[in-house]
Amino acid sequence: MESGAGIARVDLDGRPIRPLTICMIGAGGFIGSHLCEKLMAETPHKVLALDVYSDKIKHLLEPSTLPCPWAGRIQFHRLNIKHDSRLEGLIKMSDLTINLAAICTPADYNTRPLDTIYSNFIDALPVVKYCSENGKRLIHFSTCEVYGKTIGSFLPRDHPLRQDPKYYVLKEDESPCIFGSIEKQRWSYACAKQLIERLIYAEGAENGLEFTIVRPFNWIGPRMDFIPGIDGPNEGVPRVLACFSNALLRHQPLKLVDGGQSQRTFVYIKDAIEAVLLMIENPARANGHIFNVGNPNNEVTVRQLAEMMTQVYAKVSGEAALEEPTVDVSSKEFYGEGYDDSDKRIPDMTIINRQLGWDPKTSLWDLLESTLTYQHRTYAEAIKQTLSKPIASS
């Protein structure tokens, strides 16, 4: 499947894969940067990379003195899809649009619910409209949060059916989407994402839009999120893995919200990007489908994740762990009023396995080792310098 000269690339059904022009919205983010790397290194496809920032893909954009396989195949367009008249033209120029743009940080769902709803629903509407009107295929990135709470979470804590997979494994074509009350603004993100999914599905049913919806389950790896005060705002609260990384880099205890009892699964970004490439190159198998992309084998509680990350970071950094590596905080204290959470997020993998033959490979320990090695190498020195700066007196 490599893109070397003279090697014919074929899809899962043995058909030749023709080079595509891909309009990638949010190409400068965590997922976008890894997907751009994959497309440049292993395929002949061209990418129109749309984003406000390009830091995470600058190594692909800067001219190199060495010959590189992607010369001329990636173009960066600095734009915000909210208010840019160039968007429809770029979608028209492409065979496929991939929309990765979103506000997807839980700390924002409570404190910036309007921005969250606008970003994930209103701002995505023109993308869907332009794809539908111009007969262009769309791969839209949603979230596993659209499932909300599991059916099992409404049973008494000691009820035996809580252990029955029928009550907690999340299936794209069967599981209901169960959210908390309107006062729990944490669900603003999931609700906006579910509504744009329903709109895309309706465009497919009524107007023939060719679409694929991706529901990521905690994709983890280098370049994820930001480290507050280094490449993000000082007051920023990234997602759980980057929060824990930040604490480890600063030799601070890892904060466990409500005891860290929520259960999550984690998948390595490079495994997940393999799944996306299969969707891109196998439209006959991917169109009209919603895909869970996660790793049910990497299931842990958030507390167990903190314990593993503490061990892995001690190994990669050579620094001893704190005597008290974790501290419990309430969700109200950490996220503010109106926070709510889902108990378990375990993806069913039947559909993606049947349609695309995809299975994740990387264990949780290995993906944490890869990610924390990158975090330590990239940020440890910068954080030491910020910690050693004298505090200005008022």
Side-chain angles (χ1 to χ4, degrees):
M1 295 293 283
E2 298 295 313
S3 62
I7 300 175
R9 302 179 73 257
V10 295
D11 66 14
L12 293 172
D13 298 305
R15 291 182 291 247
I17 296 169
R18 67 179 180 89
L20 302 169
T21 297
I22 299 168
C23 176
M24 191 185 303
I25 300 165
F30 164 54
I31 295 172
S33 67
H34 285 276
L35 183 52
C36 284
E37 278 183 348
K38 183 86 169 171
L39 291 167
M40 293 303 104
E42 297 184 21
T43 80
H45 306 314
K46 180 179 177 180
V47 173
L48 307 178
L50 282 56
D51 211 319
V52 179
Y53 305 106
S54 59
D55 296 3
K56 292 180 181 179
I57 54 171
K58 64 184 179 186
H59 59 295
L60 300 175
L61 302 172
E62 290 169 352
S64 170
T65 52
L66 299 170
C68 67
W70 59 84
R73 286 198 293 111
I74 183 166
Q75 296 173 6
F76 181 68
H77 298 263
R78 193 177 302 278
L79 62 83
N80 186 327
I81 62 168
K82 262 190 232 186
H83 37 63
D84 200 300
S85 58
R86 292 173 290 170
L87 179 62
E88 184 173 12
L90 290 163
I91 288 174
K92 278 183 174 179
M93 288 166 59
S94 307
D95 303 294
L96 162 68
T97 294
I98 300 175
N99 190 3
L100 292 153
I103 286 179
C104 51
T105 308
D108 290 329
Y109 309 160
N110 267 8
T111 57
R112 299 169 58 203
L114 283 176
D115 283 346
T116 299
I117 292 165
Y118 272 79
S119 167
N120 292 294
F121 180 66
I122 304 295
D123 296 348
L125 287 174
V127 178
V128 180
K129 177 173 175 277
Y130 296 149
C131 286
S132 186
E133 288 177 353
N134 293 288
K136 302 297 183 178
R137 187 174 167 226
L138 172 65
I139 296 179
H140 183 84
F141 273 69
S142 184
T143 171
C144 60
E145 293 221 6
V146 297
Y147 291 110
K149 303 185 178 198
T150 64
I151 298 170
S153 69
F154 292 90
L155 297 169
R157 191 163 289 279
D158 57 353
H159 198 289
L161 286 178
R162 269 184 173 252
Q163 306 309 312
D164 185 335
K166 283 189 297 190
Y167 288 83
Y168 65 81
V169 173
L170 302 170
K171 299 186 176 187
E172 301 97 323
D173 55 347
E174 290 182 22
S175 298
C177 303
I178 307 171
F179 302 151
S181 65
I182 297 299
E183 290 79 14
K184 301 292 187 184
Q185 295 208 91
R186 187 252 192 278
W187 299 108
S188 58
Y189 173 66
C191 194
K193 282 292 198 182
Q194 187 203 140
L195 190 53
I196 199 72
E197 278 198 29
R198 291 192 182 277
L199 183 102
I200 291 166
Y201 198 90
E203 280 286 355
E206 289 193 31
N207 297 323
L209 173 67
E210 292 188 353
F211 72 87
T212 302
I213 291 170
V214 185
R215 290 179 179 167
F217 280 71
N218 295 303
W219 296 10
I220 301 299
R223 301 196 292 270
M224 182 185 178
D225 282 1
F226 59 90
I227 297 298
I230 304 298
D231 57 0
N234 278 310
E235 69 282 3
V237 182
R239 284 169 289 188
V240 63
L241 190 124
C243 263
F244 286 174
S245 298
N246 184 43
L248 290 166
L249 286 158
R250 295 174 187 274
H251 303 285
Q252 296 170 348
L254 280 59
K255 292 181 178 178
L256 297 178
V257 175
D258 294 338
Q261 293 310 302
S262 295
Q263 289 171 276
R264 296 290 183 266
T265 58
F266 298 89
V267 65
Y268 190 40
I269 183 67
K270 293 189 186 303
D271 289 349
I273 292 300
E274 291 279 358
V276 180
L277 185 59
L278 287 166
M279 295 174 207
I280 291 169
E281 297 190 329
N282 293 273
R285 289 171 173 255
N287 281 345
H289 285 285
I290 300 170
F291 291 117
N292 289 339
V293 182
N295 189 339
N297 300 317
N298 287 345
E299 183 198 358
V300 284
T301 65
V302 173
R303 179 176 289 277
Q304 288 168 330
L305 176 70
E307 290 164 356
M308 280 185 79
M309 287 182 68
T310 301
Q311 292 171 34
V312 173
Y313 190 72
K315 178 187 172 188
V316 303
S317 67
E319 299 166 3
L322 295 175
E323 279 189 30
E324 298 288 337
T326 62
V327 59
D328 286 5
V329 296
S330 71
S331 55
K332 183 178 178 182
E333 181 186 345
F334 193 79
Y335 289 116
E337 200 72 55
Y339 187 76
D340 198 9
D341 205 358
S342 50
D343 53 326
K344 287 165 84 85
R345 291 207 200 113
I346 317 299
D348 181 87
M349 305 302 290
T350 306
I351 293 177
I352 194 166
N353 193 267
R354 181 188 71 218
Q355 293 300 117
L356 301 175
W358 180 80
D359 271 312
K361 300 176 181 66
T362 310
S363 71
L364 184 56
W365 181 275
D366 287 347
L367 75 84
L368 289 176
E369 191 165 349
S370 167
T371 305
L372 290 174
T373 298
Y374 169 85
Q375 303 276 47
H376 180 70
R377 193 175 66 234
T378 307
Y379 296 113
E381 198 51 47
I383 283 180
K384 271 183 198 157
Q385 288 172 14
T386 61
L387 292 176
S388 65
K389 282 180 186 171
I391 298 169
S393 57
S394 54

